[in-house]
Amino acid sequence: MTDADTTERTDVDGDAPKSESLEDRLVNEGEIAGDYLEELLDLLDFDGDIDLDVEGDRAVVSIEGGSDLAKLVGRKGEVLDALQELTRLAVHQKTGERSRLMLDVAHWRRGRRDELAALGDKVARRVLASGEREELSPMTPFERKIVHDAVSAVDGVRSESEGAEPSRRVVVLPA
């Protein structure tokens, strides 16, 4: 091993250590979240495996396995949303930075994403054929984004969000 292998990397001016990359920061967020969730699962006496990943500009933590994980999703993902916020707060407490971490339990978000993309495509095609605007049920920002993306893939229609939280909804219109 040479001295170059053990020397701390510094900025060009040689003063300060190089700042960590976005990916390093997101991996750290995922590890903090994983530790927090592991403790929570132990407290609840739930079985589950925790998987950490980085997708784009956010850490993604998934809990898989265990038959009782549906309790961590709740009705329409309400418990999952609350657990995600608590996990983000735990990360913020350790890092001092706001986290955009995404939490999935038992592949619920993945399934919901597929369901919403199919809904957005179906409604966009229906609006294209009829020329009539359609309003969807109220959705979370996560859900609306997926629908907007699906609608934008269909030429001849567009989408907007209308209303105030928690009743904000996607409206699909002819272009």
Side-chain angles (χ1 to χ4, degrees), residues 128-144:
L128 186 62
S130 72
E132 300 283 323
R133 76 182 246 138
E134 276 195 47
E135 287 185 18
L136 301 178
S137 300
M139 297 179 188
T140 67
F142 164 80
E143 294 171 324
R144 289 193 310 268

Side-chain angles (χ1 to χ4, degrees), residues 50-157:
I50 297 175
D51 183 42
L52 310 174
D53 200 5
V54 172
E55 291 179 12
D57 62 349
R58 69 174 51 193
V60 178
V61 180
S62 302
I63 304 174
E64 301 167 10
S67 60
D68 46 7
L69 291 180
K71 294 174 185 173
L72 295 179
V73 174
R75 192 176 69 86
K76 295 184 179 181
E78 291 167 341
V79 174
L80 175 56
D81 288 341
L83 187 55
Q84 177 175 278
E85 285 307 310
L86 288 172
T87 305
R88 286 177 174 176
L89 286 172
V91 170
H92 181 263
Q93 184 179 28
K94 292 267 188 185
T95 65
E97 295 184 27
R98 184 178 177 276
S99 173
R100 295 187 59 238
L101 175 130
M102 177 71 72
L103 176 63
D104 195 4
V105 174
H107 303 290
W108 188 85
R109 282 201 202 278
R110 184 185 312 163
R112 184 71 174 140
R113 184 180 290 132
D114 294 345
E115 190 181 297
L116 290 167
L119 173 67
D121 181 71
K122 181 175 131 183
V123 171
R125 294 185 187 288
R126 206 165 46 220
V127 167
L128 186 62
S130 72
E132 300 283 323
R133 76 182 246 138
E134 276 195 47
E135 287 185 18
L136 301 178
S137 300
M139 297 179 188
T140 67
F142 164 80
E143 294 171 324
R144 289 193 310 268
K145 166 94 170 78
I146 295 164
V147 173
H148 285 304
D149 289 348
V151 170
S152 72
V154 178
D155 289 333
V157 293

